[in-house]
Amino acid sequence: MTHVQQFPKLGASACVWKDGKVLLIQRAKPPLGLWSLPGGHVEFGETAVAAAERELLEESGVTADLTAFIGLYEVILDKPAFHYAIACYGGMWRSGEAQASSDALEARWLAPAELDSVDFAPNVREAIARARALLGL
């Protein structure tokens, strides 16, 4: 029996702020090298916000109080076939030193004025701007 890939897949990400800077990770998986918010798959039985918290810790070593739903962002590609709906949550840093691990090449805190210096994965710039507005930053 051939397994048919179910789309879209659900992902979750975390837009975390500390001292006026946002935490970004450089992706170690496609889209390789682009900067993104920490995040990944939502596992069976896991809430999206719990997945965002787990992925944040796994990818960066950071924990945060994710108090705001930032939005649902979709990434759809034809080749390879790829469709994710990503629930993004935002909040303030709680603990941990940002360091790349798991699926990240690098983890870095960036001020809003520095955001034009990096290449982003789809929808990340929009999520950051919305998080700033919703969190009053």
CSV table of all heavy atoms in Angstrom, one decimal, residues 14 16 23-25 38-39 52-64 93 95-104 106-109:
chain,number,residue,atom,x,y,z
A,14,ALA,N,7.7,30.4,17.3
A,14,ALA,CA,7.8,31.3,18.5
A,14,ALA,C,8.5,32.6,18.1
A,14,ALA,O,9.7,32.5,17.7
A,14,ALA,CB,8.5,30.6,19.7
A,16,VAL,N,10.0,35.5,19.9
A,16,VAL,CA,10.4,35.8,21.3
A,16,VAL,C,11.2,37.1,21.3
A,16,VAL,O,12.1,37.2,20.5
A,16,VAL,CB,11.2,34.6,21.9
A,16,VAL,CG1,11.7,34.9,23.3
A,16,VAL,CG2,10.3,33.3,21.9
A,23,LEU,N,14.4,36.9,18.7
A,23,LEU,CA,15.3,35.8,18.5
A,23,LEU,C,15.0,35.1,17.2
A,23,LEU,O,13.9,34.8,16.8
A,23,LEU,CB,14.9,34.7,19.6
A,23,LEU,CG,15.7,33.4,19.5
A,23,LEU,CD1,17.2,33.6,19.7
A,23,LEU,CD2,15.2,32.4,20.6
A,24,LEU,N,16.1,35.0,16.4
A,24,LEU,CA,16.0,34.3,15.1
A,24,LEU,C,17.0,33.2,15.1
A,24,LEU,O,18.0,33.2,15.7
A,24,LEU,CB,16.4,35.3,14.0
A,24,LEU,CG,15.4,36.5,13.9
A,24,LEU,CD1,16.0,37.5,12.9
A,24,LEU,CD2,14.0,36.0,13.4
A,25,ILE,N,16.6,32.2,14.3
A,25,ILE,CA,17.6,31.1,14.0
A,25,ILE,C,17.8,31.0,12.5
A,25,ILE,O,17.0,31.3,11.7
A,25,ILE,CB,17.0,29.7,14.6
A,25,ILE,CG1,15.6,29.4,14.0
A,25,ILE,CG2,16.9,29.7,16.1
A,25,ILE,CD1,15.7,28.2,13.0
A,38,PRO,N,12.2,30.3,15.6
A,38,PRO,CA,12.3,28.9,16.0
A,38,PRO,C,10.9,28.2,15.9
A,38,PRO,O,9.9,28.8,16.2
A,38,PRO,CB,12.7,29.0,17.5
A,38,PRO,CG,13.3,30.3,17.6
A,38,PRO,CD,12.6,31.2,16.6
A,39,GLY,N,10.9,27.0,15.4
A,39,GLY,CA,9.6,26.3,15.2
A,39,GLY,C,9.8,25.0,14.5
A,39,GLY,O,10.9,24.6,14.1
A,52,ALA,N,5.3,25.1,19.9
A,52,ALA,CA,6.1,26.3,19.8
A,52,ALA,C,7.1,26.4,20.9
A,52,ALA,O,8.3,26.6,20.7
A,52,ALA,CB,5.2,27.5,19.7
A,53,GLU,N,6.6,26.1,22.1
A,53,GLU,CA,7.5,26.1,23.3
A,53,GLU,C,8.6,25.0,23.2
A,53,GLU,O,9.7,25.3,23.5
A,53,GLU,CB,6.7,25.9,24.6
A,53,GLU,CG,5.8,27.1,24.9
A,53,GLU,CD,4.8,26.8,26.0
A,53,GLU,OE1,4.5,25.6,26.3
A,53,GLU,OE2,4.2,27.8,26.6
A,54,ARG,N,8.2,23.8,22.8
A,54,ARG,CA,9.2,22.7,22.7
A,54,ARG,C,10.2,23.0,21.6
A,54,ARG,O,11.4,22.9,21.9
A,54,ARG,CB,8.4,21.4,22.4
A,54,ARG,CG,9.3,20.2,22.1
A,54,ARG,CD,8.6,19.0,21.7
A,54,ARG,NE,7.6,19.2,20.7
A,54,ARG,CZ,7.9,19.3,19.3
A,54,ARG,NH1,9.2,19.2,19.0
A,54,ARG,NH2,7.0,19.4,18.4
A,55,GLU,N,9.7,23.5,20.5
A,55,GLU,CA,10.7,23.7,19.4
A,55,GLU,C,11.6,24.9,19.7
A,55,GLU,O,12.8,24.9,19.4
A,55,GLU,CB,9.9,24.1,18.1
A,55,GLU,CG,9.2,22.8,17.5
A,55,GLU,CD,10.2,21.9,16.8
A,55,GLU,OE1,11.4,22.2,16.6
A,55,GLU,OE2,9.7,20.8,16.4
A,56,LEU,N,11.1,25.9,20.4
A,56,LEU,CA,11.9,27.0,20.8
A,56,LEU,C,13.1,26.5,21.7
A,56,LEU,O,14.2,26.9,21.5
A,56,LEU,CB,11.0,28.0,21.6
A,56,LEU,CG,11.8,29.2,22.3
A,56,LEU,CD1,12.4,30.1,21.3
A,56,LEU,CD2,10.8,29.9,23.2
A,57,LEU,N,12.8,25.7,22.7
A,57,LEU,CA,13.8,25.2,23.6
A,57,LEU,C,14.8,24.3,22.8
A,57,LEU,O,16.0,24.4,23.0
A,57,LEU,CB,13.1,24.4,24.7
A,57,LEU,CG,14.1,23.8,25.8
A,57,LEU,CD1,14.9,24.9,26.4
A,57,LEU,CD2,13.3,23.0,26.8
A,58,GLU,N,14.2,23.4,21.9
A,58,GLU,CA,15.1,22.4,21.2
A,58,GLU,C,16.0,23.2,20.2
A,58,GLU,O,17.2,22.8,20.1
A,58,GLU,CB,14.2,21.5,20.4
A,58,GLU,CG,13.5,20.4,21.2
A,58,GLU,CD,12.6,19.5,20.3
A,58,GLU,OE1,12.6,19.7,19.1
A,58,GLU,OE2,11.9,18.7,20.9
A,59,GLU,N,15.6,24.2,19.6
A,59,GLU,CA,16.4,24.9,18.6
A,59,GLU,C,17.3,26.0,19.1
A,59,GLU,O,18.3,26.3,18.5
A,59,GLU,CB,15.5,25.5,17.5
A,59,GLU,CG,14.8,24.4,16.6
A,59,GLU,CD,14.1,25.0,15.4
A,59,GLU,OE1,13.9,26.2,15.3
A,59,GLU,OE2,13.6,24.2,14.6
A,60,SER,N,16.9,26.5,20.3
A,60,SER,CA,17.7,27.7,20.7
A,60,SER,C,18.1,27.6,22.2
A,60,SER,O,18.9,28.5,22.6
A,60,SER,CB,16.9,29.0,20.5
A,60,SER,OG,15.8,29.0,21.4
A,61,GLY,N,17.6,26.7,23.0
A,61,GLY,CA,17.9,26.7,24.4
A,61,GLY,C,17.2,27.7,25.2
A,61,GLY,O,17.5,28.0,26.4
A,62,VAL,N,16.2,28.4,24.6
A,62,VAL,CA,15.5,29.5,25.3
A,62,VAL,C,14.1,29.1,25.7
A,62,VAL,O,13.5,28.3,25.0
A,62,VAL,CB,15.4,30.7,24.3
A,62,VAL,CG1,14.5,31.8,24.8
A,62,VAL,CG2,16.8,31.3,24.2
A,63,THR,N,13.6,29.6,26.8
A,63,THR,CA,12.2,29.5,27.1
A,63,THR,C,11.5,30.8,27.2
A,63,THR,O,12.2,31.8,27.3
A,63,THR,CB,12.0,28.8,28.5
A,63,THR,OG1,12.5,29.6,29.5
A,63,THR,CG2,12.6,27.4,28.5
A,64,ALA,N,10.2,30.9,27.0
A,64,ALA,CA,9.5,32.2,26.9
A,64,ALA,C,8.1,32.0,27.4
A,64,ALA,O,7.6,30.9,27.4
A,64,ALA,CB,9.6,32.7,25.5
A,93,TRP,N,11.0,36.6,26.5
A,93,TRP,CA,12.0,35.7,27.0
A,93,TRP,C,11.8,35.4,28.5
A,93,TRP,O,11.5,36.4,29.3
A,93,TRP,CB,13.4,36.3,26.7
A,93,TRP,CG,14.5,35.6,27.3
A,93,TRP,CD1,15.2,34.6,26.8
A,93,TRP,CD2,15.2,35.9,28.6
A,93,TRP,NE1,16.3,34.2,27.6
A,93,TRP,CE2,16.2,35.0,28.7
A,93,TRP,CE3,14.9,36.8,29.6
A,93,TRP,CZ2,17.1,35.0,29.8
A,93,TRP,CZ3,15.7,36.8,30.7
A,93,TRP,CH2,16.8,35.9,30.8
A,95,SER,N,14.0,32.5,30.0
A,95,SER,CA,15.3,32.0,30.5
A,95,SER,C,16.1,31.4,29.3
A,95,SER,O,15.5,31.1,28.3
A,95,SER,CB,15.1,30.9,31.6
A,95,SER,OG,14.5,29.8,31.1
A,96,GLY,N,17.4,31.2,29.6
A,96,GLY,CA,18.2,30.5,28.6
A,96,GLY,C,19.0,31.4,27.8
A,96,GLY,O,18.7,32.6,27.5
A,97,GLU,N,20.2,30.9,27.4
A,97,GLU,CA,21.1,31.7,26.5
A,97,GLU,C,20.9,31.2,25.1
A,97,GLU,O,20.9,30.0,24.8
A,97,GLU,CB,22.5,31.5,26.9
A,97,GLU,CG,22.9,32.0,28.3
A,97,GLU,CD,22.6,33.5,28.4
A,97,GLU,OE1,22.9,34.2,27.4
A,97,GLU,OE2,22.1,34.0,29.5
A,98,ALA,N,20.7,32.1,24.1
A,98,ALA,CA,20.4,31.7,22.8
A,98,ALA,C,21.6,31.0,22.2
A,98,ALA,O,22.7,31.6,22.1
A,98,ALA,CB,20.0,32.9,21.9
A,99,GLN,N,21.5,29.7,21.8
A,99,GLN,CA,22.5,29.0,21.1
A,99,GLN,C,21.9,28.0,20.2
A,99,GLN,O,20.9,27.4,20.4
A,99,GLN,CB,23.5,28.3,22.1
A,99,GLN,CG,22.7,27.4,23.1
A,99,GLN,CD,23.7,26.9,24.1
A,99,GLN,OE1,24.7,27.5,24.4
A,99,GLN,NE2,23.3,25.8,24.8
A,100,ALA,N,22.5,27.9,19.0
A,100,ALA,CA,22.0,27.0,18.0
A,100,ALA,C,22.1,25.5,18.4
A,100,ALA,O,23.1,25.1,18.9
A,100,ALA,CB,22.7,27.2,16.7
A,101,SER,N,21.0,24.8,18.2
A,101,SER,CA,21.0,23.3,18.4
A,101,SER,C,20.0,22.8,17.5
A,101,SER,O,19.2,23.5,16.9
A,101,SER,CB,20.8,23.0,19.9
A,101,SER,OG,19.6,23.5,20.3
A,102,SER,N,19.9,21.5,17.5
A,102,SER,CA,18.8,20.8,16.7
A,102,SER,C,18.9,21.2,15.2
A,102,SER,O,19.9,21.0,14.6
A,102,SER,CB,17.5,21.0,17.4
A,102,SER,OG,16.4,20.5,16.6
A,103,ASP,N,17.8,21.9,14.7
A,103,ASP,CA,17.7,22.2,13.3
A,103,ASP,C,18.3,23.6,13.0
A,103,ASP,O,17.9,24.2,11.9
A,103,ASP,CB,16.3,22.2,12.9
A,103,ASP,CG,15.7,20.8,13.0
A,103,ASP,OD1,16.5,19.8,13.0
A,103,ASP,OD2,14.5,20.6,13.1
A,104,ALA,N,19.1,24.2,13.8
A,104,ALA,CA,19.6,25.6,13.6
A,104,ALA,C,21.1,25.6,13.4
A,104,ALA,O,21.8,24.9,14.1
A,104,ALA,CB,19.2,26.5,14.8
A,106,GLU,N,22.6,28.7,13.5
A,106,GLU,CA,23.0,29.8,14.4
A,106,GLU,C,21.7,30.4,15.1
A,106,GLU,O,20.6,30.3,14.5
A,106,GLU,CB,23.6,30.9,13.6
A,106,GLU,CG,24.2,32.1,14.4
A,106,GLU,CD,24.9,33.1,13.6
A,106,GLU,OE1,25.2,32.8,12.4
A,106,GLU,OE2,25.2,34.2,14.1
A,107,ALA,N,21.8,30.9,16.3
A,107,ALA,CA,20.7,31.6,17.0
A,107,ALA,C,21.3,33.0,17.3
A,107,ALA,O,22.4,33.1,17.8
A,107,ALA,CB,20.3,30.8,18.2
A,108,ARG,N,20.4,34.0,17.1
A,108,ARG,CA,20.9,35.4,17.3
A,108,ARG,C,19.7,36.3,17.7
A,108,ARG,O,18.6,36.1,17.2
A,108,ARG,CB,21.5,35.9,16.0
A,108,ARG,CG,22.2,37.2,16.1
A,108,ARG,CD,22.7,37.7,14.8
A,108,ARG,NE,23.4,36.8,13.9
A,108,ARG,CZ,23.7,37.1,12.7
A,108,ARG,NH1,23.4,38.2,12.1
A,108,ARG,NH2,24.4,36.2,12.0
A,109,TRP,N,19.9,37.2,18.6
A,109,TRP,CA,19.0,38.2,18.9
A,109,TRP,C,19.3,39.4,18.0
A,109,TRP,O,20.4,39.9,18.0
A,109,TRP,CB,19.2,38.7,20.4
A,109,TRP,CG,18.8,37.6,21.4
A,109,TRP,CD1,19.7,36.8,22.1
A,109,TRP,CD2,17.5,37.2,21.9
A,109,TRP,NE1,19.1,36.0,22.9
A,109,TRP,CE2,17.7,36.2,22.8
A,109,TRP,CE3,16.3,37.7,21.6
A,109,TRP,CZ2,16.7,35.6,23.5
A,109,TRP,CZ3,15.2,37.1,22.2
A,109,TRP,CH2,15.4,36.0,23.2
